[in-house]
PDB file of all heavy atoms in Angstrom:
ATOM      1  N   VAL A 278     141.236  72.915  91.594  1.00 94.00           N
ATOM      2  CA  VAL A 278     141.867  72.996  90.274  1.00 94.00           C
ATOM      3  C   VAL A 278     143.337  73.388  90.395  1.00 94.00           C
ATOM      4  O   VAL A 278     144.201  72.806  89.730  1.00 94.00           O
ATOM      5  CB  VAL A 278     141.101  73.997  89.388  1.00 94.00           C
ATOM      6  CG1 VAL A 278     141.848  74.251  88.091  1.00 94.00           C
ATOM      7  CG2 VAL A 278     139.707  73.470  89.089  1.00 94.00           C
ATOM      8  N   LEU A 279     143.642  74.364  91.251  1.00 94.00           N
ATOM      9  CA  LEU A 279     145.034  74.789  91.425  1.00 94.00           C
ATOM     10  C   LEU A 279     145.877  73.681  92.044  1.00 94.00           C
ATOM     11  O   LEU A 279     147.050  73.515  91.698  1.00 94.00           O
ATOM     12  CB  LEU A 279     145.093  76.050  92.290  1.00 94.00           C
ATOM     13  CG  LEU A 279     144.642  77.344  91.617  1.00 94.00           C
ATOM     14  CD1 LEU A 279     144.587  78.472  92.632  1.00 94.00           C
ATOM     15  CD2 LEU A 279     145.580  77.710  90.472  1.00 94.00           C
ATOM     16  N   GLY A 280     145.285  72.918  92.972  1.00 92.00           N
ATOM     17  CA  GLY A 280     146.012  71.803  93.575  1.00 92.00           C
ATOM     18  C   GLY A 280     146.395  70.750  92.551  1.00 92.00           C
ATOM     19  O   GLY A 280     147.520  70.227  92.569  1.00 92.00           O
ATOM     20  N   GLU A 281     145.479  70.447  91.639  1.00 93.00           N
ATOM     21  CA  GLU A 281     145.770  69.463  90.595  1.00 93.00           C
ATOM     22  C   GLU A 281     146.808  70.002  89.610  1.00 93.00           C
ATOM     23  O   GLU A 281     147.705  69.270  89.175  1.00 93.00           O
ATOM     24  CB  GLU A 281     144.481  69.102  89.860  1.00 93.00           C
ATOM     25  CG  GLU A 281     143.476  68.352  90.733  1.00 93.00           C
ATOM     26  CD  GLU A 281     142.157  68.125  90.020  1.00 93.00           C
ATOM     27  OE1 GLU A 281     142.012  68.607  88.880  1.00 93.00           O
ATOM     28  OE2 GLU A 281     141.267  67.466  90.606  1.00 93.00           O
ATOM     29  N   ALA A 282     146.679  71.278  89.255  1.00 94.00           N
ATOM     30  CA  ALA A 282     147.633  71.868  88.308  1.00 94.00           C
ATOM     31  C   ALA A 282     149.034  71.945  88.907  1.00 94.00           C
ATOM     32  O   ALA A 282     150.032  71.746  88.205  1.00 94.00           O
ATOM     33  CB  ALA A 282     147.159  73.262  87.900  1.00 94.00           C
ATOM     34  N   ALA A 283     149.124  72.210  90.219  1.00 93.00           N
ATOM     35  CA  ALA A 283     150.429  72.359  90.874  1.00 93.00           C
ATOM     36  C   ALA A 283     151.194  71.038  90.941  1.00 93.00           C
ATOM     37  O   ALA A 283     152.424  71.047  91.093  1.00 93.00           O
ATOM     38  CB  ALA A 283     150.241  72.916  92.287  1.00 93.00           C
ATOM     39  N   LYS A 284     150.508  69.926  90.835  1.00 93.00           N
ATOM     40  CA  LYS A 284     151.193  68.630  90.845  1.00 93.00           C
ATOM     41  C   LYS A 284     151.920  68.362  89.525  1.00 93.00           C
ATOM     42  O   LYS A 284     152.920  67.643  89.490  1.00 93.00           O
ATOM     43  CB  LYS A 284     150.188  67.513  91.119  1.00 93.00           C
ATOM     44  CG  LYS A 284     149.589  67.558  92.520  1.00 93.00           C
ATOM     45  CD  LYS A 284     148.552  66.461  92.706  1.00 93.00           C
ATOM     46  CE  LYS A 284     147.927  66.546  94.103  1.00 93.00           C
ATOM     47  NZ  LYS A 284     146.894  65.516  94.315  1.00 93.00           N
ATOM     48  N   LEU A 285     151.410  68.943  88.434  1.00 92.00           N
ATOM     49  CA  LEU A 285     151.999  68.712  87.115  1.00 92.00           C
ATOM     50  C   LEU A 285     152.920  69.851  86.667  1.00 92.00           C
ATOM     51  O   LEU A 285     153.806  69.636  85.840  1.00 92.00           O
ATOM     52  CB  LEU A 285     150.885  68.542  86.074  1.00 92.00           C
ATOM     53  CG  LEU A 285     149.909  67.379  86.307  1.00 92.00           C
ATOM     54  CD1 LEU A 285     148.814  67.404  85.245  1.00 92.00           C
ATOM     55  CD2 LEU A 285     150.629  66.048  86.290  1.00 92.00           C
ATOM     56  N   ALA A 286     152.713  71.042  87.199  1.00 92.00           N
ATOM     57  CA  ALA A 286     153.453  72.215  86.731  1.00 92.00           C
ATOM     58  C   ALA A 286     154.973  72.099  86.868  1.00 92.00           C
ATOM     59  O   ALA A 286     155.698  72.530  85.964  1.00 92.00           O
ATOM     60  CB  ALA A 286     152.954  73.464  87.457  1.00 92.00           C
ATOM     61  N   PRO A 287     155.528  71.529  87.972  1.00 93.00           N
ATOM     62  CA  PRO A 287     156.992  71.429  88.071  1.00 93.00           C
ATOM     63  C   PRO A 287     157.632  70.624  86.943  1.00 93.00           C
ATOM     64  O   PRO A 287     158.823  70.810  86.657  1.00 93.00           O
ATOM     65  CB  PRO A 287     157.200  70.740  89.426  1.00 93.00           C
ATOM     66  CG  PRO A 287     156.000  71.088  90.220  1.00 93.00           C
ATOM     67  CD  PRO A 287     154.880  71.107  89.221  1.00 93.00           C
ATOM     68  N   ARG A 288     156.884  69.759  86.288  1.00 91.00           N
ATOM     69  CA  ARG A 288     157.430  68.984  85.168  1.00 91.00           C
ATOM     70  C   ARG A 288     157.556  69.829  83.904  1.00 91.00           C
ATOM     71  O   ARG A 288     158.278  69.452  82.979  1.00 91.00           O
ATOM     72  CB  ARG A 288     156.536  67.785  84.869  1.00 91.00           C
ATOM     73  CG  ARG A 288     156.284  66.876  86.066  1.00 91.00           C
ATOM     74  CD  ARG A 288     155.347  65.748  85.679  1.00 91.00           C
ATOM     75  NE  ARG A 288     154.876  65.005  86.845  1.00 91.00           N
ATOM     76  CZ  ARG A 288     154.001  64.005  86.782  1.00 91.00           C
ATOM     77  NH1 ARG A 288     153.511  63.631  85.611  1.00 91.00           N
ATOM     78  NH2 ARG A 288     153.611  63.383  87.888  1.00 91.00           N
ATOM     79  N   GLN A 289     156.855  70.957  83.875  1.00 89.00           N
ATOM     80  CA  GLN A 289     156.805  71.766  82.663  1.00 89.00           C
ATOM     81  C   GLN A 289     157.603  73.058  82.760  1.00 89.00           C
ATOM     82  O   GLN A 289     157.816  73.722  81.743  1.00 89.00           O
ATOM     83  CB  GLN A 289     155.345  72.098  82.336  1.00 89.00           C
ATOM     84  CG  GLN A 289     154.451  70.878  82.200  1.00 89.00           C
ATOM     85  CD  GLN A 289     152.999  71.249  82.000  1.00 89.00           C
ATOM     86  OE1 GLN A 289     152.675  72.394  81.704  1.00 89.00           O
ATOM     87  NE2 GLN A 289     152.092  70.285  82.171  1.00 89.00           N
ATOM     88  N   ASP A 290     158.011  73.438  83.963  1.00 89.00           N
ATOM     89  CA  ASP A 290     158.707  74.720  84.136  1.00 89.00           C
ATOM     90  C   ASP A 290     159.842  74.561  85.138  1.00 89.00           C
ATOM     91  O   ASP A 290     159.649  74.016  86.235  1.00 89.00           O
ATOM     92  CB  ASP A 290     157.725  75.789  84.618  1.00 89.00           C
ATOM     93  CG  ASP A 290     158.365  77.152  84.740  1.00 89.00           C
ATOM     94  OD1 ASP A 290     158.640  77.777  83.698  1.00 89.00           O
ATOM     95  OD2 ASP A 290     158.606  77.595  85.880  1.00 89.00           O
ATOM     96  N   HIS A 291     161.026  75.068  84.756  1.00 90.00           N
ATOM     97  CA  HIS A 291     162.203  74.925  85.617  1.00 90.00           C
ATOM     98  C   HIS A 291     162.066  75.718  86.909  1.00 90.00           C
ATOM     99  O   HIS A 291     162.435  75.234  87.992  1.00 90.00           O
ATOM    100  CB  HIS A 291     163.443  75.387  84.844  1.00 90.00           C
ATOM    101  CG  HIS A 291     164.704  75.351  85.662  1.00 90.00           C
ATOM    102  ND1 HIS A 291     165.286  74.176  86.101  1.00 90.00           N
ATOM    103  CD2 HIS A 291     165.484  76.367  86.150  1.00 90.00           C
ATOM    104  CE1 HIS A 291     166.375  74.448  86.800  1.00 90.00           C
ATOM    105  NE2 HIS A 291     166.512  75.767  86.850  1.00 90.00           N
ATOM    106  N   ASP A 292     161.540  76.942  86.832  1.00 90.00           N
ATOM    107  CA  ASP A 292     161.399  77.775  88.027  1.00 90.00           C
ATOM    108  C   ASP A 292     160.438  77.146  89.036  1.00 90.00           C
ATOM    109  O   ASP A 292     160.692  77.150  90.250  1.00 90.00           O
ATOM    110  CB  ASP A 292     160.907  79.169  87.648  1.00 90.00           C
ATOM    111  CG  ASP A 292     161.941  79.947  86.843  1.00 90.00           C
ATOM    112  OD1 ASP A 292     163.137  79.624  86.985  1.00 90.00           O
ATOM    113  OD2 ASP A 292     161.558  80.855  86.092  1.00 90.00           O
TER     114      ASP A 292
END
Side-chain angles (χ1 to χ4, degrees):
V278 172
L279 286 173
E281 293 174 357
K284 293 177 182 179
L285 300 176
R288 305 178 191 177
Q289 304 175 14
D290 183 73
H291 177 68
D292 293 335

